[in-house]
Structures are given as structure tokens and as C-alpha cells.
Amino acid sequence: GAGVSQSPSNKVTEKGKDVELRCDPISGHTALYWYRQSLGQGLEFLIYFQGNSAPDKSGLPSDRFSAERTGGSVSTLTIQRTQQEDSAVYLCASSLNGDRVGNGYTFGSGTRLTVV
Amino acid sequence: GQSLEQPSEVTAVEGAIVQINCTYQTSGFYGLSWYQQHDGGAPTFLSYNGLDGLEETGRFSSFLSRSDSYGYLLLQELQMKDSASYFCAVRVPYNTDKLIFGTGTRLQVFP
């Protein structure tokens, strides 16, 4: 597609439920990233996929968080047993060859997750 | 540790010039990028400095001094639509493409 697509755009869930957030990167982009942004805050790195390499999971805040990327394209971020502190906007981004040559990331519009 | 510090808020009037600073305490980084984010919107890529010096893109310029651990974004001929949050970001460690973002600066442009 023309841009990075994320779904759903908004998600309200009850504490303790599992949620899945989806990201469709730009076709041909080998790198895919997930970030989290709390209200009025900066972007917190969660996980990074590059081609067929093992993902960099160093930013995942707990073992309740996991992500996968199927076929080098679509990615799903799963949060199990959601907690109220998980409420945030989850942003996905993709990049042609990473940031190494200053291509920059293209971000999706995000999924606003509210845990009640 | 890794941290990129930015002023939390900057205000200016239309037509003015504003500089948003980014100072960092991190090791092994490579490249300084800037992103713009309007309220409720997605961050969008503005500029990239791989080497020391000034990069110019229209009304926006970005500067990097690795020896001083310092960079800035310069916005000229400010317009109301420039009101947004601006984030600096660096890639750490240098051999990955993972960006670490700064704390963000909210720019408000007044008529």
C-alpha cells in the first residue's frame, strides 16, 4: 500500500483480556518497528524486525508482550492479560533499509489502546 | 545509559526563526534524525544528519556536532502549521537500525 496501515485505530478492552494489534508495512520495506507512546510522552521502543534476522525484542516491557512478523510483511503485536498501564498509542513504522542511510521511518497512524 | 534531552516547550510567532536543541548522553550512536508529530497524528520524518554539519531542507535545517554531543533543528519563516511536537532520535548501537527518541519539544506558533 501507499503507507503503513494499522488496525484497529482504537481499541477499548477490559483489564485482563488479551489484545492483538496489526500492522501492514509499506510493500518492499524490510524493516518493521513497534513503538509505544503514552499521552504527551515520547516514543518508547518495543521491538524491531529486519528481514529474516531474529527480532530485537529488547524494548518489550514484560513477557505479556510479544510480536511476530509473518512472511516478512504483516506484523501482529499481542498483549496478554492487559493492565491499565498498557493504555497508550501503539505505533508501527517501516523502513526501506533501516535508518542507516537516513531513509527515515514511515509511521502508521497508530492504535489507541485503552484498558478499563 | 542512553538519553536525549530536549526542551519541553518552545513558543514563537509566525515568520520567526526557532531552534530546538537536542543533547544526548549515549555511546556508540550513529546519525541524528528529526521527526514532526501533529496532535493525534503519526510522526513524520523531517531530516537526517549522518555526519557533522548542517543539512538544509527548505525552511528546515538540522545540525549535528558529535564531538559536542549536540544537535539542533532550525525552523525558519514559521507558519501556524508548524505547531507540533518535534523529536530528535539516534540509532544505537551504531550497527542496528533501532531509533531511540528524545523527550520531544512542543512548538506553539502564534499569529
Side-chain angles (χ1 to χ4, degrees):
Chain A
V4 176
S5 177
Q6 292 188 245
S7 61
S9 55
N10 279 285
K11 176 72 176 178
V12 180
T13 189
E14 292 181 352
K15 178 181 173 182
K17 300 285 189 182
D18 298 352
V19 295
E20 285 189 354
L21 313 180
R22 177 187 169 101
C23 173
D24 258 298
I26 293 174
S27 178
H29 279 195
T30 59
L32 186 147
Y33 316 81
W34 283 97
Y35 284 81
R36 178 169 72 173
Q37 187 174 32
S38 300
L39 187 62
Q41 302 298 309
L43 285 78
E44 176 190 4
F45 168 76
L46 296 177
I47 189 169
Y48 155 53
F49 297 89
Q50 172 61 286
N52 295 321
S53 303
D56 179 343
K57 305 179 182 180
S58 61
L60 294 178
S62 77
D63 59 8
R64 295 186 297 104
F65 288 71
S66 63
E68 63 177 18
R69 187 180 186 190
T70 54
S73 180
V74 172
S75 177
T76 302
L77 177 69
T78 301
I79 309 173
Q80 296 178 310
R81 304 181 302 282
T82 52
Q83 303 294 315
Q84 288 185 327
E85 61 262 29
D86 300 334
S87 296
V89 175
Y90 289 81
L91 291 162
C92 175
S94 71
S95 179
L96 183 56
N97 282 311
D99 185 67
R100 297 187 188 213
V101 292
N103 291 335
Y105 293 2
T106 301
F107 280 87
S109 298
T111 294
R112 182 175 298 277
L113 175 66
T114 304
V115 182
V116 297
Chain B
Q2 306 157 1
S3 69
L4 292 90
E5 297 297 324
Q6 301 178 235
S8 58
E9 188 166 354
V10 174
T11 60
V13 296
E14 274 187 301
I17 299 172
V18 71
Q19 178 173 313
I20 299 174
N21 297 328
C22 174
T23 58
Y24 48 87
Q25 292 82 39
T26 187
S27 59
F29 93 97
Y30 186 79
L32 180 70
S33 302
W34 288 91
Y35 286 76
Q36 178 192 60
Q37 185 180 33
H38 287 97
D39 284 348
T44 56
F45 174 68
L46 287 180
S47 69
Y48 174 80
N49 292 74
L51 301 173
D52 289 355
L54 190 69
E55 294 286 339
E56 298 180 77
T57 309
R59 295 187 296 114
F60 295 179
S61 302
S62 57
F63 173 82
L64 173 63
S65 170
R66 288 173 292 179
S67 60
D68 294 327
S69 299
Y70 164 74
Y72 65 72
L73 179 69
L74 189 74
L75 299 88
Q76 303 181 68
E77 301 172 18
L78 281 174
Q79 302 175 9
M80 296 293 290
K81 67 179 182 180
D82 297 329
S83 293
S85 292
Y86 293 84
F87 295 90
C88 60
V90 295
R91 185 168 81 243
V92 288
Y94 73 93
N95 61 341
T96 77
D97 300 308
K98 177 178 70 182
L99 289 182
I100 302 300
F101 284 82
T103 51
T105 299
R106 185 173 182 85
L107 170 64
Q108 293 193 31
V109 180
F110 293 98

